[in-house]
Amino acid sequence: MKTNILSLFLLIWLTTATIAVGQTTQLRTQHFTTRDGLASNVVNTAMQDHLGYIWLGTSQGLTRYDGYQFVNFYYEADSVRLMENVTLIVEDKEEKRLLVRGNDNKTLCFDLVHMRFTSTEGVQMPKISQKGNEEHVQQRVQELGIQTGNMTGRRQSFDYEKTNEGVEIFTTIDNGLFVYFPDSKELQHYSATDEHPIIHTNNLNSVLKDRTGCIWITTTYAGIYQLIIDDKKMSHHLLKENTASFQQNSIRSFSQLPNKEVVISNMEGDVYRYNPETNQKTLLMHKEQRVYTTCTDAKGRFWVGTRGGGLWLDNKNQNEAEGLRPRMIYDLCFDAEGTLWIATLDGGLVEAKEGKDGHFIFSTHLKDEKVHELDIDPKGRLWIATERGIFMMEKRRPRPIYQQGKVVCITHTADGTIYAGTIGLGLMAIDMQGNRPKLSFITTAEGLANNNVKALVEGHQNIIVAATDEGISLVDRLSIRNLYSSQGMMADVYNENAAIKMNNGHVLLGNLTGWVDLDPSVIKTHPLTNPIPPVQITCISINEQPLYQNAYPSLSLENGQNSLCITYSSLSYKYQQSIIYSYWMEGFDNDWRPSTQEIRATYNNLPPGHYRFHVRASLPDYIGNEETVCDIYIAHPWWWSWWMRTLYVLLILLLIGWKWKQYRKR
């Protein structure tokens, strides 16, 4: 089992790498190779056309990338490749074509309308303008002391881009990557020989900045990298470094101590004291069972709830000492009167009152319910999240609020709105209008990262931070913004109720590989600066045969070509993980299909006729993107064509005339 887990971590590390720089920025890379569909791992050059497609020149031909898949095109005649090594790509917008050059200086034309290589007679490669001022770039190289061995003898031994934030990117052909950060005035060198390399080769051919601000780096033998430089809005932490135990860094609970420190527990049963300012961690205790909840009461006593080992007070087991029956403790909560409420999975909701002699008296509510989390709203009401729904305590009696699904976490905002996290149904908002609850749901259709919501905490100004099975969503009444960890897919799977808002306003969220520290107020003040463009239809497969074009204003099909699979992309590479699509086929669908992150629409056995396919994209906090429309005409069979129908009418008229003539004779 441990071997499999270590192998998975290794795979994630090879796919995605992150390096922190200073205190304000992060470098994140996404690596693409032939395993992802590239024609070759030798990528010489990259360019972005006016629609937003990324075109790559490889040693095996021309490749197009749409944010989801690579499509390769080759120049062939009689099944023989006539040019393979593409070293330059230039777009000719007027002629709707690409001009492609190989290392033999042979120029080819690639028709963007029909997506194929065409004749090059009379075509000349235009003069290519340099990126920016070459003299200035050379001067910056000398000022910063960027070194390259230039072992290949190539005159242009580096390439250069500058991000929208002023970060300068230098790639070299044999000495890796150099990045200059203007805020810290530091030049960082990234090499394949680093302990945790973000790029696994020093042979970098070119660098491209796309219109969303992402940086693309082409390499020799290592494919292509997407380099994203983010503000350090979210940092990742480990409870224990260099451990082979998966459970030691799977965080299960947080609780705030009276000072700035936080108590953190893991799935191994360890309980640590953590200082967020110094990042120092001190082991407080170890339990044989998993620690699911901790808290400190008004007297300074420390409570620990475990799964299977019951409840502990300052290392004294309450099951043995006080006769508490449930042993699966999921949450602890003190109300204004000092009463302890205990959420259990095997004994319902337990109320614990301390007598004058120091002993506790336990009473049970909702004994048949499996209780996951508790919350006390600003009016002092106790809310209970169970596997069958939600209850609210009124005069010491539980009142059912919602009884149609599994709820595992619950919290409130300062304005009194209750939020509950469900499994499968997304995020539930409860407004108590008088004494009647009004329920509403926020799901992936509205932009939520995932419909399995595992932990909730109020972040900043009535913003809810929702940790899900597929990332973090920051939710308010007007918008949603999703955040994803740069540590790989396992770090985006969060543990139940592992969330806390610290005294400094930061939020900690525990996942399978540690925890993240984020400041919701900072994240929400970063508006979307590059709205997403109109969606592009990237391919239409007709009866499972792909048809590639750069644009699809209309499509005429023969009778029988009536099974379609339409793929599409926003071509917004920086926001790709958060893009939501909506589509409908006018003439077949009654209305827009539910919003989804799926990038294909499938229609089988469409009847002959005229259809209009509509598709649009949006981000959770940016709506208003215009829709893309494709007119699709499926021909009727020959026996129902217009001329055959005209013939049928003529024959009917002749038959009627003949019948009338016979009638007159009689």
PDB file of all heavy atoms in Angstrom, residues 181-212:
ATOM      1  N   PHE A 181      12.573  38.859 -10.602  1.00  0.00           N
ATOM      2  CA  PHE A 181      11.400  39.329  -9.886  1.00  0.00           C
ATOM      3  C   PHE A 181      11.630  40.777  -9.458  1.00  0.00           C
ATOM      4  O   PHE A 181      12.483  41.046  -8.607  1.00  0.00           O
ATOM      5  CB  PHE A 181      11.130  38.448  -8.664  1.00  0.00           C
ATOM      6  CG  PHE A 181      10.860  37.013  -9.010  1.00  0.00           C
ATOM      7  CD1 PHE A 181      11.885  36.082  -9.045  1.00  0.00           C
ATOM      8  CD2 PHE A 181       9.580  36.589  -9.310  1.00  0.00           C
ATOM      9  CE1 PHE A 181      11.638  34.765  -9.365  1.00  0.00           C
ATOM     10  CE2 PHE A 181       9.323  35.264  -9.635  1.00  0.00           C
ATOM     11  CZ  PHE A 181      10.354  34.361  -9.667  1.00  0.00           C
ATOM     12  N   PRO A 182      10.889  41.725 -10.028  1.00  0.00           N
ATOM     13  CA  PRO A 182      11.160  43.143  -9.739  1.00  0.00           C
ATOM     14  C   PRO A 182      10.847  43.542  -8.299  1.00  0.00           C
ATOM     15  O   PRO A 182      11.486  44.444  -7.759  1.00  0.00           O
ATOM     16  CB  PRO A 182      10.256  43.885 -10.732  1.00  0.00           C
ATOM     17  CG  PRO A 182       9.172  42.919 -11.076  1.00  0.00           C
ATOM     18  CD  PRO A 182       9.798  41.563 -11.014  1.00  0.00           C
ATOM     19  N   ASP A 183       9.871  42.886  -7.658  1.00  0.00           N
ATOM     20  CA  ASP A 183       9.522  43.257  -6.284  1.00  0.00           C
ATOM     21  C   ASP A 183      10.674  43.000  -5.330  1.00  0.00           C
ATOM     22  O   ASP A 183      11.024  43.848  -4.509  1.00  0.00           O
ATOM     23  CB  ASP A 183       8.274  42.492  -5.829  1.00  0.00           C
ATOM     24  CG  ASP A 183       7.029  42.928  -6.580  1.00  0.00           C
ATOM     25  OD1 ASP A 183       7.043  44.046  -7.129  1.00  0.00           O
ATOM     26  OD2 ASP A 183       6.061  42.152  -6.633  1.00  0.00           O
ATOM     27  N   SER A 184      11.254  41.816  -5.428  1.00  0.00           N
ATOM     28  CA  SER A 184      12.370  41.464  -4.546  1.00  0.00           C
ATOM     29  C   SER A 184      13.724  41.789  -5.162  1.00  0.00           C
ATOM     30  O   SER A 184      14.750  41.658  -4.502  1.00  0.00           O
ATOM     31  CB  SER A 184      12.316  39.969  -4.207  1.00  0.00           C
ATOM     32  OG  SER A 184      12.407  39.190  -5.395  1.00  0.00           O
ATOM     33  N   LYS A 185      13.719  42.205  -6.452  1.00  0.00           N
ATOM     34  CA  LYS A 185      14.954  42.502  -7.183  1.00  0.00           C
ATOM     35  C   LYS A 185      15.926  41.326  -7.136  1.00  0.00           C
ATOM     36  O   LYS A 185      17.119  41.479  -6.937  1.00  0.00           O
ATOM     37  CB  LYS A 185      15.612  43.772  -6.635  1.00  0.00           C
ATOM     38  CG  LYS A 185      14.747  45.017  -6.814  1.00  0.00           C
ATOM     39  CD  LYS A 185      15.436  46.273  -6.312  1.00  0.00           C
ATOM     40  CE  LYS A 185      14.538  47.489  -6.544  1.00  0.00           C
ATOM     41  NZ  LYS A 185      15.158  48.745  -6.049  1.00  0.00           N
ATOM     42  N   GLU A 186      15.352  40.139  -7.327  1.00  0.00           N
ATOM     43  CA  GLU A 186      16.152  38.912  -7.305  1.00  0.00           C
ATOM     44  C   GLU A 186      16.102  38.232  -8.666  1.00  0.00           C
ATOM     45  O   GLU A 186      15.056  38.190  -9.313  1.00  0.00           O
ATOM     46  CB  GLU A 186      15.620  37.942  -6.249  1.00  0.00           C
ATOM     47  CG  GLU A 186      15.870  38.375  -4.823  1.00  0.00           C
ATOM     48  CD  GLU A 186      15.365  37.338  -3.821  1.00  0.00           C
ATOM     49  OE1 GLU A 186      14.400  36.627  -4.156  1.00  0.00           O
ATOM     50  OE2 GLU A 186      15.946  37.245  -2.726  1.00  0.00           O
ATOM     51  N   LEU A 187      17.234  37.701  -9.084  1.00  0.00           N
ATOM     52  CA  LEU A 187      17.319  36.874 -10.277  1.00  0.00           C
ATOM     53  C   LEU A 187      17.452  35.429  -9.833  1.00  0.00           C
ATOM     54  O   LEU A 187      18.392  35.076  -9.114  1.00  0.00           O
ATOM     55  CB  LEU A 187      18.523  37.275 -11.136  1.00  0.00           C
ATOM     56  CG  LEU A 187      18.732  36.422 -12.387  1.00  0.00           C
ATOM     57  CD1 LEU A 187      17.642  36.709 -13.417  1.00  0.00           C
ATOM     58  CD2 LEU A 187      20.115  36.656 -12.993  1.00  0.00           C
ATOM     59  N   GLN A 188      16.501  34.600 -10.223  1.00  0.00           N
ATOM     60  CA  GLN A 188      16.519  33.191  -9.854  1.00  0.00           C
ATOM     61  C   GLN A 188      16.882  32.346 -11.066  1.00  0.00           C
ATOM     62  O   GLN A 188      16.382  32.576 -12.170  1.00  0.00           O
ATOM     63  CB  GLN A 188      15.144  32.761  -9.315  1.00  0.00           C
ATOM     64  CG  GLN A 188      14.721  33.468  -8.039  1.00  0.00           C
ATOM     65  CD  GLN A 188      15.506  33.013  -6.824  1.00  0.00           C
ATOM     66  OE1 GLN A 188      16.043  31.908  -6.815  1.00  0.00           O
ATOM     67  NE2 GLN A 188      15.583  33.858  -5.819  1.00  0.00           N
ATOM     68  N   HIS A 189      17.748  31.372 -10.841  1.00  0.00           N
ATOM     69  CA  HIS A 189      18.162  30.455 -11.905  1.00  0.00           C
ATOM     70  C   HIS A 189      17.560  29.085 -11.614  1.00  0.00           C
ATOM     71  O   HIS A 189      17.720  28.541 -10.513  1.00  0.00           O
ATOM     72  CB  HIS A 189      19.692  30.357 -11.952  1.00  0.00           C
ATOM     73  CG  HIS A 189      20.187  29.436 -13.021  1.00  0.00           C
ATOM     74  ND1 HIS A 189      21.373  28.727 -12.906  1.00  0.00           N
ATOM     75  CD2 HIS A 189      19.653  29.079 -14.229  1.00  0.00           C
ATOM     76  CE1 HIS A 189      21.552  27.988 -13.996  1.00  0.00           C
ATOM     77  NE2 HIS A 189      20.517  28.194 -14.804  1.00  0.00           N
ATOM     78  N   TYR A 190      16.844  28.530 -12.592  1.00  0.00           N
ATOM     79  CA  TYR A 190      16.210  27.225 -12.448  1.00  0.00           C
ATOM     80  C   TYR A 190      16.852  26.269 -13.442  1.00  0.00           C
ATOM     81  O   TYR A 190      16.844  26.512 -14.653  1.00  0.00           O
ATOM     82  CB  TYR A 190      14.701  27.319 -12.688  1.00  0.00           C
ATOM     83  CG  TYR A 190      14.036  28.292 -11.752  1.00  0.00           C
ATOM     84  CD1 TYR A 190      13.804  29.607 -12.140  1.00  0.00           C
ATOM     85  CD2 TYR A 190      13.667  27.913 -10.467  1.00  0.00           C
ATOM     86  CE1 TYR A 190      13.212  30.509 -11.284  1.00  0.00           C
ATOM     87  CE2 TYR A 190      13.073  28.802  -9.596  1.00  0.00           C
ATOM     88  CZ  TYR A 190      12.849  30.101 -10.013  1.00  0.00           C
ATOM     89  OH  TYR A 190      12.264  30.998  -9.148  1.00  0.00           O
ATOM     90  N   SER A 191      17.372  25.179 -12.900  1.00  0.00           N
ATOM     91  CA  SER A 191      18.123  24.232 -13.715  1.00  0.00           C
ATOM     92  C   SER A 191      17.565  22.827 -13.534  1.00  0.00           C
ATOM     93  O   SER A 191      16.910  22.525 -12.524  1.00  0.00           O
ATOM     94  CB  SER A 191      19.603  24.270 -13.312  1.00  0.00           C
ATOM     95  OG  SER A 191      20.326  23.221 -13.915  1.00  0.00           O
ATOM     96  N   ALA A 192      17.855  21.973 -14.503  1.00  0.00           N
ATOM     97  CA  ALA A 192      17.434  20.574 -14.396  1.00  0.00           C
ATOM     98  C   ALA A 192      18.162  19.850 -13.280  1.00  0.00           C
ATOM     99  O   ALA A 192      17.733  18.776 -12.858  1.00  0.00           O
ATOM    100  CB  ALA A 192      17.673  19.862 -15.724  1.00  0.00           C
ATOM    101  N   THR A 193      19.245  20.430 -12.791  1.00  0.00           N
ATOM    102  CA  THR A 193      20.019  19.794 -11.717  1.00  0.00           C
ATOM    103  C   THR A 193      19.568  20.232 -10.332  1.00  0.00           C
ATOM    104  O   THR A 193      20.154  19.815  -9.328  1.00  0.00           O
ATOM    105  CB  THR A 193      21.515  20.115 -11.887  1.00  0.00           C
ATOM    106  OG1 THR A 193      21.695  21.539 -11.855  1.00  0.00           O
ATOM    107  CG2 THR A 193      22.037  19.561 -13.205  1.00  0.00           C
ATOM    108  N   ASP A 194      18.517  21.095 -10.245  1.00  0.00           N
ATOM    109  CA  ASP A 194      17.996  21.495  -8.934  1.00  0.00           C
ATOM    110  C   ASP A 194      17.453  20.280  -8.195  1.00  0.00           C
ATOM    111  O   ASP A 194      17.075  19.269  -8.803  1.00  0.00           O
ATOM    112  CB  ASP A 194      16.890  22.534  -9.101  1.00  0.00           C
ATOM    113  CG  ASP A 194      17.398  23.852  -9.669  1.00  0.00           C
ATOM    114  OD1 ASP A 194      18.611  24.099  -9.588  1.00  0.00           O
ATOM    115  OD2 ASP A 194      16.574  24.614 -10.210  1.00  0.00           O
ATOM    116  N   GLU A 195      17.374  20.408  -6.872  1.00  0.00           N
ATOM    117  CA  GLU A 195      16.877  19.285  -6.065  1.00  0.00           C
ATOM    118  C   GLU A 195      15.438  18.940  -6.437  1.00  0.00           C
ATOM    119  O   GLU A 195      15.069  17.774  -6.538  1.00  0.00           O
ATOM    120  CB  GLU A 195      16.965  19.643  -4.581  1.00  0.00           C
ATOM    121  CG  GLU A 195      16.530  18.502  -3.669  1.00  0.00           C
ATOM    122  CD  GLU A 195      16.656  18.857  -2.201  1.00  0.00           C
ATOM    123  OE1 GLU A 195      17.124  19.985  -1.900  1.00  0.00           O
ATOM    124  OE2 GLU A 195      16.283  18.021  -1.351  1.00  0.00           O
ATOM    125  N   HIS A 196      14.614  19.964  -6.650  1.00  0.00           N
ATOM    126  CA  HIS A 196      13.231  19.767  -7.105  1.00  0.00           C
ATOM    127  C   HIS A 196      13.028  20.634  -8.346  1.00  0.00           C
ATOM    128  O   HIS A 196      12.449  21.724  -8.269  1.00  0.00           O
ATOM    129  CB  HIS A 196      12.231  20.141  -6.015  1.00  0.00           C
ATOM    130  CG  HIS A 196      12.363  19.330  -4.770  1.00  0.00           C
ATOM    131  ND1 HIS A 196      12.102  17.980  -4.732  1.00  0.00           N
ATOM    132  CD2 HIS A 196      12.765  19.683  -3.516  1.00  0.00           C
ATOM    133  CE1 HIS A 196      12.307  17.533  -3.507  1.00  0.00           C
ATOM    134  NE2 HIS A 196      12.716  18.540  -2.755  1.00  0.00           N
ATOM    135  N   PRO A 197      13.478  20.179  -9.508  1.00  0.00           N
ATOM    136  CA  PRO A 197      13.422  21.023 -10.708  1.00  0.00           C
ATOM    137  C   PRO A 197      11.991  21.277 -11.161  1.00  0.00           C
ATOM    138  O   PRO A 197      11.141  20.387 -11.104  1.00  0.00           O
ATOM    139  CB  PRO A 197      14.198  20.213 -11.744  1.00  0.00           C
ATOM    140  CG  PRO A 197      14.086  18.792 -11.281  1.00  0.00           C
ATOM    141  CD  PRO A 197      14.070  18.855  -9.785  1.00  0.00           C
ATOM    142  N   ILE A 198      11.729  22.498 -11.611  1.00  0.00           N
ATOM    143  CA  ILE A 198      10.426  22.798 -12.195  1.00  0.00           C
ATOM    144  C   ILE A 198      10.449  22.542 -13.697  1.00  0.00           C
ATOM    145  O   ILE A 198       9.396  22.407 -14.319  1.00  0.00           O
ATOM    146  CB  ILE A 198       9.986  24.242 -11.888  1.00  0.00           C
ATOM    147  CG1 ILE A 198      10.954  25.257 -12.476  1.00  0.00           C
ATOM    148  CG2 ILE A 198       9.822  24.456 -10.404  1.00  0.00           C
ATOM    149  CD1 ILE A 198      10.451  26.682 -12.386  1.00  0.00           C
ATOM    150  N   ILE A 199      11.638  22.511 -14.305  1.00  0.00           N
ATOM    151  CA  ILE A 199      11.813  22.149 -15.706  1.00  0.00           C
ATOM    152  C   ILE A 199      12.951  21.137 -15.771  1.00  0.00           C
ATOM    153  O   ILE A 199      14.019  21.366 -15.217  1.00  0.00           O
ATOM    154  CB  ILE A 199      12.118  23.387 -16.576  1.00  0.00           C
ATOM    155  CG1 ILE A 199      10.907  24.321 -16.577  1.00  0.00           C
ATOM    156  CG2 ILE A 199      12.468  22.988 -17.997  1.00  0.00           C
ATOM    157  CD1 ILE A 199      11.069  25.554 -17.430  1.00  0.00           C
ATOM    158  N   HIS A 200      12.707  20.025 -16.462  1.00  0.00           N
ATOM    159  CA  HIS A 200      13.615  18.886 -16.372  1.00  0.00           C
ATOM    160  C   HIS A 200      14.617  18.823 -17.511  1.00  0.00           C
ATOM    161  O   HIS A 200      15.090  17.749 -17.879  1.00  0.00           O
ATOM    162  CB  HIS A 200      12.799  17.583 -16.293  1.00  0.00           C
ATOM    163  CG  HIS A 200      11.879  17.544 -15.112  1.00  0.00           C
ATOM    164  ND1 HIS A 200      10.610  18.087 -15.157  1.00  0.00           N
ATOM    165  CD2 HIS A 200      12.034  17.073 -13.858  1.00  0.00           C
ATOM    166  CE1 HIS A 200      10.025  17.931 -13.977  1.00  0.00           C
ATOM    167  NE2 HIS A 200      10.868  17.317 -13.175  1.00  0.00           N
ATOM    168  N   THR A 201      14.942  19.971 -18.080  1.00  0.00           N
ATOM    169  CA  THR A 201      16.002  20.050 -19.081  1.00  0.00           C
ATOM    170  C   THR A 201      16.555  21.463 -19.073  1.00  0.00           C
ATOM    171  O   THR A 201      15.852  22.421 -18.727  1.00  0.00           O
ATOM    172  CB  THR A 201      15.478  19.703 -20.482  1.00  0.00           C
ATOM    173  OG1 THR A 201      16.545  19.820 -21.436  1.00  0.00           O
ATOM    174  CG2 THR A 201      14.356  20.625 -20.902  1.00  0.00           C
ATOM    175  N   ASN A 202      17.816  21.611 -19.460  1.00  0.00           N
ATOM    176  CA  ASN A 202      18.429  22.933 -19.585  1.00  0.00           C
ATOM    177  C   ASN A 202      18.379  23.450 -21.011  1.00  0.00           C
ATOM    178  O   ASN A 202      18.782  24.582 -21.273  1.00  0.00           O
ATOM    179  CB  ASN A 202      19.884  22.899 -19.104  1.00  0.00           C
ATOM    180  CG  ASN A 202      19.962  22.830 -17.589  1.00  0.00           C
ATOM    181  OD1 ASN A 202      19.034  23.229 -16.892  1.00  0.00           O
ATOM    182  ND2 ASN A 202      21.067  22.314 -17.073  1.00  0.00           N
ATOM    183  N   ASN A 203      17.910  22.633 -21.952  1.00  0.00           N
ATOM    184  CA  ASN A 203      17.875  23.007 -23.361  1.00  0.00           C
ATOM    185  C   ASN A 203      16.509  23.602 -23.697  1.00  0.00           C
ATOM    186  O   ASN A 203      15.580  22.889 -24.072  1.00  0.00           O
ATOM    187  CB  ASN A 203      18.170  21.787 -24.240  1.00  0.00           C
ATOM    188  CG  ASN A 203      19.497  21.150 -23.884  1.00  0.00           C
ATOM    189  OD1 ASN A 203      19.556  20.004 -23.446  1.00  0.00           O
ATOM    190  ND2 ASN A 203      20.573  21.888 -24.076  1.00  0.00           N
ATOM    191  N   LEU A 204      16.398  24.934 -23.551  1.00  0.00           N
ATOM    192  CA  LEU A 204      15.143  25.647 -23.763  1.00  0.00           C
ATOM    193  C   LEU A 204      15.237  26.411 -25.074  1.00  0.00           C
ATOM    194  O   LEU A 204      16.187  27.169 -25.297  1.00  0.00           O
ATOM    195  CB  LEU A 204      14.865  26.599 -22.602  1.00  0.00           C
ATOM    196  CG  LEU A 204      15.021  26.002 -21.190  1.00  0.00           C
ATOM    197  CD1 LEU A 204      14.677  27.037 -20.132  1.00  0.00           C
ATOM    198  CD2 LEU A 204      14.190  24.742 -21.019  1.00  0.00           C
ATOM    199  N   ASN A 205      14.241  26.230 -25.933  1.00  0.00           N
ATOM    200  CA  ASN A 205      14.313  26.791 -27.277  1.00  0.00           C
ATOM    201  C   ASN A 205      13.659  28.164 -27.415  1.00  0.00           C
ATOM    202  O   ASN A 205      14.170  29.034 -28.108  1.00  0.00           O
ATOM    203  CB  ASN A 205      13.675  25.824 -28.277  1.00  0.00           C
ATOM    204  CG  ASN A 205      14.467  24.534 -28.398  1.00  0.00           C
ATOM    205  OD1 ASN A 205      15.694  24.556 -28.403  1.00  0.00           O
ATOM    206  ND2 ASN A 205      13.769  23.405 -28.484  1.00  0.00           N
ATOM    207  N   SER A 206      12.491  28.350 -26.790  1.00  0.00           N
ATOM    208  CA  SER A 206      11.795  29.631 -26.936  1.00  0.00           C
ATOM    209  C   SER A 206      10.821  29.824 -25.794  1.00  0.00           C
ATOM    210  O   SER A 206      10.507  28.885 -25.048  1.00  0.00           O
ATOM    211  CB  SER A 206      11.044  29.686 -28.272  1.00  0.00           C
ATOM    212  OG  SER A 206       9.968  28.763 -28.280  1.00  0.00           O
ATOM    213  N   VAL A 207      10.330  31.070 -25.658  1.00  0.00           N
ATOM    214  CA  VAL A 207       9.345  31.396 -24.632  1.00  0.00           C
ATOM    215  C   VAL A 207       8.247  32.232 -25.276  1.00  0.00           C
ATOM    216  O   VAL A 207       8.508  33.081 -26.131  1.00  0.00           O
ATOM    217  CB  VAL A 207       9.997  32.140 -23.441  1.00  0.00           C
ATOM    218  CG1 VAL A 207      10.692  33.402 -23.888  1.00  0.00           C
ATOM    219  CG2 VAL A 207       8.961  32.451 -22.367  1.00  0.00           C
ATOM    220  N   LEU A 208       6.994  31.952 -24.892  1.00  0.00           N
ATOM    221  CA  LEU A 208       5.837  32.646 -25.444  1.00  0.00           C
ATOM    222  C   LEU A 208       4.921  33.064 -24.301  1.00  0.00           C
ATOM    223  O   LEU A 208       4.638  32.271 -23.398  1.00  0.00           O
ATOM    224  CB  LEU A 208       5.073  31.729 -26.408  1.00  0.00           C
ATOM    225  CG  LEU A 208       3.674  32.183 -26.837  1.00  0.00           C
ATOM    226  CD1 LEU A 208       3.775  33.357 -27.806  1.00  0.00           C
ATOM    227  CD2 LEU A 208       2.889  31.033 -27.458  1.00  0.00           C
ATOM    228  N   LYS A 209       4.429  34.315 -24.342  1.00  0.00           N
ATOM    229  CA  LYS A 209       3.397  34.764 -23.400  1.00  0.00           C
ATOM    230  C   LYS A 209       2.069  34.800 -24.144  1.00  0.00           C
ATOM    231  O   LYS A 209       1.937  35.502 -25.149  1.00  0.00           O
ATOM    232  CB  LYS A 209       3.726  36.145 -22.846  1.00  0.00           C
ATOM    233  CG  LYS A 209       2.679  36.660 -21.847  1.00  0.00           C
ATOM    234  CD  LYS A 209       3.052  38.013 -21.271  1.00  0.00           C
ATOM    235  CE  LYS A 209       2.845  39.107 -22.290  1.00  0.00           C
ATOM    236  NZ  LYS A 209       3.042  40.458 -21.714  1.00  0.00           N
ATOM    237  N   ASP A 210       1.081  34.028 -23.648  1.00  0.00           N
ATOM    238  CA  ASP A 210      -0.213  34.052 -24.323  1.00  0.00           C
ATOM    239  C   ASP A 210      -1.053  35.223 -23.817  1.00  0.00           C
ATOM    240  O   ASP A 210      -0.645  35.960 -22.918  1.00  0.00           O
ATOM    241  CB  ASP A 210      -0.934  32.700 -24.189  1.00  0.00           C
ATOM    242  CG  ASP A 210      -1.417  32.413 -22.771  1.00  0.00           C
ATOM    243  OD1 ASP A 210      -1.728  33.368 -22.034  1.00  0.00           O
ATOM    244  OD2 ASP A 210      -1.489  31.228 -22.398  1.00  0.00           O
ATOM    245  N   ARG A 211      -2.251  35.384 -24.371  1.00  0.00           N
ATOM    246  CA  ARG A 211      -3.045  36.567 -24.067  1.00  0.00           C
ATOM    247  C   ARG A 211      -3.653  36.536 -22.670  1.00  0.00           C
ATOM    248  O   ARG A 211      -4.170  37.551 -22.204  1.00  0.00           O
ATOM    249  CB  ARG A 211      -4.143  36.727 -25.113  1.00  0.00           C
ATOM    250  CG  ARG A 211      -5.142  35.594 -25.147  1.00  0.00           C
ATOM    251  CD  ARG A 211      -6.045  35.714 -26.370  1.00  0.00           C
ATOM    252  NE  ARG A 211      -7.048  34.671 -26.398  1.00  0.00           N
ATOM    253  CZ  ARG A 211      -7.823  34.435 -27.449  1.00  0.00           C
ATOM    254  NH1 ARG A 211      -7.689  35.178 -28.538  1.00  0.00           N
ATOM    255  NH2 ARG A 211      -8.730  33.472 -27.418  1.00  0.00           N
ATOM    256  N   THR A 212      -3.622  35.380 -21.985  1.00  0.00           N
ATOM    257  CA  THR A 212      -4.099  35.321 -20.602  1.00  0.00           C
ATOM    258  C   THR A 212      -2.970  35.496 -19.602  1.00  0.00           C
ATOM    259  O   THR A 212      -3.200  35.457 -18.400  1.00  0.00           O
ATOM    260  CB  THR A 212      -4.816  33.983 -20.321  1.00  0.00           C
ATOM    261  OG1 THR A 212      -3.894  32.906 -20.517  1.00  0.00           O
ATOM    262  CG2 THR A 212      -6.016  33.807 -21.223  1.00  0.00           C
TER     263      THR A 212
END
